[in-house]
Amino acid sequence: MELTQWILGGNGGLLVLEPLTALTDFIVTAVCILGLVKFSRHKETEKRQLRVFAWFFLFMGLGTLFAGLFTHAFSYFFYPERLSKEALSVLCYDEKLSYNLHNLPNWVFNVVSVTLFEVSNIIMTKKYLPKLNTGLYYAVIAVESLAVYVLLLTVLKYDIAIAHIGFALYLTALPLQIAVYRKHRSQYSKYMISGILIMLITPPVMALKFEFCKWFNFNDISHVVIAVTMYCFMLAGEEFVEEKLEK
């Protein structure tokens, strides 16, 4: 991948690496801030059900904010030289940790946000599926999340966070949302399912490193997809508040 850059203020100005990648990260952050504000302003009953959902938007927004700033735009402040996978593989743990310190805020906030997404799905689908065994789900989420945190800090690769996202979306949330939609034809679950399925665009884009041009590469495409998914989740939350189930 050819690295793009802007120099703000002309020669001798501020260097910004991967500017479009950083900008698309900030678009995701903006959508998440909107979601956080929306789900922090409801009446107390809904606020209790939506609290964890709001926290999900908060930590997702923090993750993409730090990704845009530290992982992309200003990564050279932390580690001037980008190492190849081969060079990284021969580093000892302390050297790998030092090399990835600027990535950790993005990675950790991302992992936390995904765990909060899982938990919020359990809390919210309980409204539609009162017989749901929430204790079992929480236990599985706790074990899986703990394993992810340990592996992330041991292996120091974003691939661990990607696996966490896949587990949360397709093994936890999607089956629950399909069950809710089949039982209630819920608009909440419809938007949730739409957002989850839209995310299926990102794996092939990332794997093939597809790009329209060097200024809009696979990272940028993935960030736009994530922003659309976050918007779908925000619409889902609004429908959750509006839907009143028949007793």
Side-chain angles (χ1 to χ4, degrees), residues 79 88 91-104 107 152-156:
Y79 215 96
L88 278 172
L91 297 180
C92 68
Y93 178 79
D94 288 345
E95 291 171 327
K96 285 183 181 178
L97 180 61
S98 176
Y99 180 79
N100 284 295
L101 276 178
H102 65 291
N103 291 319
L104 285 180
W107 294 357
L152 181 69
L153 296 176
T154 302
V155 179
L156 296 174

Side-chain angles (χ1 to χ4, degrees), residues 44-73:
E44 192 57 36
T45 302
E46 287 85 4
K47 192 180 288 186
R48 284 198 301 271
Q49 294 176 310
L50 290 166
R51 184 175 292 124
V52 178
F53 197 48
W55 293 347
F56 154 65
F57 281 102
L58 169 63
F59 280 90
M60 184 69 187
L62 287 172
T64 53
L65 175 64
F66 282 108
L69 291 174
F70 293 175
T71 302
H72 299 293

Side-chain angles (χ1 to χ4, degrees), residues 105-169:
N106 164 27
W107 294 357
V108 171
F109 283 132
N110 186 292
V111 167
V112 171
S113 74
V114 173
T115 298
L116 292 171
F117 177 76
E118 292 179 288
V119 173
S120 67
N121 261 260
I122 305 305
I123 294 171
M124 294 164 77
T125 55
K126 182 71 172 177
K127 170 182 175 180
Y128 301 88
L129 306 173
K131 295 182 180 180
L132 186 69
N133 188 343
T134 55
L136 176 61
Y137 274 96
Y138 288 142
V140 171
I141 290 169
V143 171
E144 183 264 340
S145 296
L146 180 60
V148 166
Y149 300 141
V150 171
L151 282 171
L152 181 69
L153 296 176
T154 302
V155 179
L156 296 174
K157 288 186 177 181
Y158 187 65
D159 294 349
I160 306 301
I162 292 174
H164 186 41
I165 293 168
F167 181 91
L169 291 180

Side-chain angles (χ1 to χ4, degrees), residues 163-187:
H164 186 41
I165 293 168
F167 181 91
L169 291 180
Y170 303 108
L171 296 182
T172 303
L174 185 58
L176 286 173
Q177 297 301 336
I178 290 174
V180 170
Y181 185 75
R182 289 179 64 182
K183 185 174 183 179
H184 298 285
R185 289 297 185 264
S186 163
Q187 289 298 305

